[in-house]
Amino acid sequence: MAETIDFSRLEIHRKRSLPMRDFFFRFKEELSLTLKTPESSLSTEILEPNLHRPGLALAGFTEVFSNQRIQIMGTTEWFYLESVGPEKRREIFDRLKAFPSPLWVMTHNAGPHDELLKMCKEQNIPVCSTARETMDFCTELQDLLEDWFAPYCSVHASLVDVYGVGMLYVGESGVGKSECVLDLVERGHRLVADDIVNMTRKGRSIIGKGNKILGHHMEIRGVGIVDVERLFGIRAIRNAKKIEVIVELQHWREGENYDRTGLDAINTEAIGISIPKVVIPISPGKNITVISEVIAMNMALKMKGVDAAKLFNEKLIETMKGKTPSKDATRLSTEVHE
Amino acid sequence: MVSKELKVTNEAGIHARPAAAVVETCGQFQSHITFTKDDVQANAKSIMNIMLLAAEFGAMILVEAEGPDEVAALEAVEQLFEDRFRQE
């Protein structure tokens, strides 16, 4: 029997570099970049998702200088260079020649000083200007770079947005993941991906996406390949969703203990992030779709701070304190048997 | 049919976690097992039934088992009570 996914042993990938040419042409509109050096200077590579303000290096302190990062020249740096005059600027950039960076960016559309341009030309490093304001530019660039360098992996699973809760279905082949997903879509929930889900860590969350080639196609045994977007319309799909619950579908096993109270949440670690997990035993005639909706709603309640199982148990313990016997409990239990 | 009266020995009484332990233990047997407290009878394989007994610390529960493995079932339940439902 095929084992279900072991999330602790996923093969995690990470992009090692972002070639400058790719970066520039991909993001130049988004970041309002203009190149101030010849196009041939776009031969560098970005190796880490961090930015650096080179103020101290310009002032002469180079013992610690993160020159391998993108250098951001804000108003402070620009005015400093302006204030020291051409002679000193030449001296500064002569010294910095030994510290190549992947890119220098001038914010506020400031024109780079000739001495900086000269150094970069010699190093064959690009210099750009952006119309954006420094902090705004840094926040956006940082975000883009973090996305690019984020750890990611691909799993055999299906991802559906159920009432706004991202539910990742895992389980051995043939357990009925696709059928469950199709049923959910039919009831108005939104498919993100079936069969292959690419998971990327973003901050403290895991974002799931489909495969570009597969799109929102699904394979249904006995039917073949169907296009969910065309069949059910745009409302039935979405491109990416934060994964909030992992639902493991399992064939019913005699003697296996399933969670009865919901008090002890199980979590699974995926790419270093802990995600709640629910194991659902499947048996013929079981309506997994309705159970899925309940899981989603219960999770939405928990995210709002309402834990039904915990509240119920607290109330029960409170009832048992200092009572012998409770008329109330007697009445309730009689009702159960009627 | 075998039966025995047992005392709830854990301080918080049979709340959700002990109830889950009861259901888990009883579920392993084929016999029909019931818990009776204050004339209210509960199916020991149903967690909601067991919780509705609201069996507090010191309460006496009549455990009855009937079926092919009734003796073993009763022993297991007795052990569970002795172990304070494996809670504390």
Side-chain angles (χ1 to χ4, degrees), chain A residues 61 182 197 219 225 268 270 312:
Chain A
F61 182 72
L182 196 61
V197 178
E219 189 240 353
I225 294 165
T268 288
F312 177 85

Side-chain angles (χ1 to χ4, degrees), chain A residues 198-211:
Chain A
N198 290 323
M199 308 199 300
T200 311
R201 188 170 83 200
K202 169 113 182 160
R204 301 298 301 158
S205 320
I206 302 285
I207 308 294
K209 278 185 187 171
N211 177 291

Side-chain angles (χ1 to χ4, degrees), chain A residues 40-66:
Chain A
S40 60
S41 65
L42 295 171
S43 57
T44 54
E45 280 189 330
I46 302 170
L47 297 172
E48 55 172 289
N50 295 307
L51 309 177
H52 190 248
R53 296 286 297 267
L56 279 174
L58 298 177
F61 182 72
T62 49
E63 271 81 74
V64 183
F65 174 27
S66 305

